[in-house]
Amino acid sequence: MVDLDELRREIVLAVSQSKSPREFLRDRRLRELYDQIKSLPPVERGSFGKQINELKQAVEQAIAVRLEELEKVDLKPIDVTAPMDVNSPKPELLPSEQGTIHPLSAEIERISEIFNRMGFVTEESREIDDQFHMFESLNFPKGHPARDDYDTFMTEETDSNGDRLIAPAHTSTMQNRVLMKYRDNLEKGEAIAAIVPDRVFRNEDLDARHEHTFYQVEGVYVSRRVNVGNLIATLQEFLQEYYGKKLDVRVNPFYFPFTEPSFEFALSCPFCEGKNPDCKVCSGEGWIELLGCGMIHPNVLRAAQIDPNEYTGFAFGCGIDRLVMMKYGIEDVRHFESGKLDFLEQF
């Protein structure tokens, strides 16, 4: 086990001497610590996750101090139109190299951190996938009319079955792989608990609330005697931690082929708390429909060779762009993919 105090001193020292301190937010060692959580006994995960969080907070504080120091340095003017002298032993650092972390990247890290402390591991999705993982493993048999709702982009290239490959329309394409990868956890008396935050693609008409490329976070939890109450409590705890305030939640019946029962999950508006009829976020209704969720369909468990008579689980999918828009009051989802510096520099 890593000595967290020693690691903290090492990273903080490196930050204090760095000209690019923000890069330590993506330090590989921090991510590896979160990966260690899943190997610990359940009773130790909460305490270890809290220690990791305290370590990261110390690193963030050191970064803030170092950035303030760098801002006070009297830098000589730089002609940004002149080429950099790459032969110089100490070439000047051009302003273009002083970048910032994209708001979606920063929030994905934050989302992963919260779920990691709750005992979930983070997996990556893929940008081209086959129709088995996109549809059939999720209880969408060939010819199922619900396939039409996903407006998927398809390639000319086909898989070994002759089916065209697709750009995933949801991170649920990873659900079967996650269940298969961690299936042995169940035999050891441990749960399958994972999230998949990544990019997805849909053939959408673009407007302030719709984009053809956006991000989703998929969540999967499977164990013995898992119920809807566990699902609601997990999502409520995550959202309260993410928005930093107490929230009421509600669920309404819905339909998804891969969950049964299925729900639309809504939370009380974190901005007006239902008290402002002119609120632009919730349109004065006090509630925001946020994500889809439900209990994993027995056919989905069977596709991963898990006995639905012995194990149950829940799954959810949430648009990350929408979470971030609500958090910062962003009015147009297209800003995220626009490359506009006047928007990105706010973060």
Side-chain angles (χ1 to χ4, degrees), residues 136-141 176 179 257-258 296-306 308:
E136 290 157 44
S137 69
L138 296 172
N139 201 35
F140 290 85
N176 179 265
L179 293 175
F258 37 85
I296 298 175
H297 196 287
N299 289 345
V300 176
L301 294 175
R302 290 190 187 100
Q305 301 173 30
I306 295 173

Side-chain angles (χ1 to χ4, degrees), residues 19-302:
K19 291 184 178 180
S20 304
R22 285 193 181 94
E23 67 185 18
F24 287 92
L25 287 173
R26 300 184 294 276
D27 192 288
R28 171 182 52 80
R29 292 168 293 182
L30 292 177
R31 186 173 294 277
E32 288 175 349
L33 285 176
Y34 285 116
D35 289 340
Q36 289 182 22
I37 294 177
K38 62 185 179 183
S39 65
L40 295 174
V43 296
E44 298 180 12
R45 293 176 183 173
S47 175
F48 189 63
K50 181 179 180 181
Q51 293 179 59
I52 299 174
N53 192 40
E54 292 173 349
L55 186 155
K56 187 172 183 181
Q57 289 174 352
V59 172
E60 290 173 343
Q61 183 177 0
I63 290 172
V65 171
R66 181 56 177 163
L67 288 174
E68 187 175 348
E69 292 175 350
L70 291 173
E71 288 177 359
K72 295 178 181 178
V73 176
D74 184 19
L75 297 175
K76 64 181 180 180
I78 298 174
D79 180 2
V80 296
T81 65
M84 183 171 64
D85 183 4
V86 295
N87 297 318
S88 170
K90 291 184 178 181
E92 296 290 348
L93 184 67
L94 297 181
S96 62
E97 296 176 330
Q98 296 279 11
T100 59
I101 298 175
H102 192 281
L104 287 178
S105 297
E107 294 305 309
I108 287 173
E109 283 195 14
R110 172 65 176 152
I111 290 167
S112 294
E113 175 194 344
I114 294 172
F115 275 111
N116 291 161
R117 287 191 279 122
M118 294 171 71
F120 287 72
V121 298
T122 301
E123 295 286 338
E124 293 183 354
S125 186
R126 50 186 64 194
E127 298 190 358
I128 292 292
D129 210 339
D130 56 62
Q131 295 196 33
F132 172 78
H133 289 96
M134 174 70 195
F135 293 120
E136 290 157 44
S137 69
L138 296 172
N139 201 35
F140 290 85
K142 289 188 176 182
H144 196 295
R147 288 193 182 205
D148 296 336
D149 293 339
Y150 282 83
D151 296 323
T152 52
F153 292 105
M154 293 194 178
T155 70
E156 294 297 327
E157 185 178 354
T158 60
D159 61 17
S160 58
N161 297 318
D163 294 323
R164 295 164 68 184
L165 299 176
I166 60 172
H170 53 188
T171 47
S172 301
T173 59
M174 292 299 295
Q175 190 171 138
N176 179 265
R177 294 185 179 95
V178 166
L179 293 175
M180 295 285 284
K181 180 177 180 179
Y182 295 105
R183 189 177 56 204
D184 290 345
N185 285 16
L186 301 175
E187 296 180 3
K188 295 184 290 187
E190 300 176 3
I192 298 174
I195 62 165
V196 185
D198 222 316
R199 195 192 324 248
V200 295
F201 311 88
R202 292 189 187 176
N203 184 17
E204 296 274 11
D205 293 327
L206 306 188
D207 57 32
R209 292 186 175 273
H210 298 87
E211 175 66 280
H212 57 69
T213 301
F214 57 101
Y215 285 79
Q216 240 186 18
V217 57
E218 170 86 2
V220 179
Y221 188 93
V222 176
S223 187
R224 296 181 187 273
R225 296 182 294 278
V226 178
N227 56 51
V228 173
N230 302 135
L231 165 63
I232 296 173
T234 299
L235 290 174
Q236 183 173 19
E237 184 66 23
F238 160 69
L239 291 167
Q240 289 182 158
E241 181 72 12
Y242 184 71
Y243 287 112
K245 59 174 61 179
K246 180 74 173 177
L247 297 170
D248 293 323
V249 299
R250 71 180 185 187
V251 294
N252 294 319
F254 201 68
Y255 170 74
F256 299 107
F258 37 85
T259 52
E260 178 60 39
S262 304
F263 308 100
E264 277 193 336
F265 190 93
L267 75 156
S268 56
C269 181
F271 299 97
C272 77
E273 299 177 348
K275 300 175 182 177
N276 181 7
D278 299 320
C279 178
K280 294 181 180 179
V281 178
C282 68
S283 301
E285 296 180 359
W287 293 94
I288 299 171
E289 296 289 346
L290 191 62
L291 57 89
C293 59
M295 302 301 293
I296 298 175
H297 196 287
N299 289 345
V300 176
L301 294 175
R302 290 190 187 100

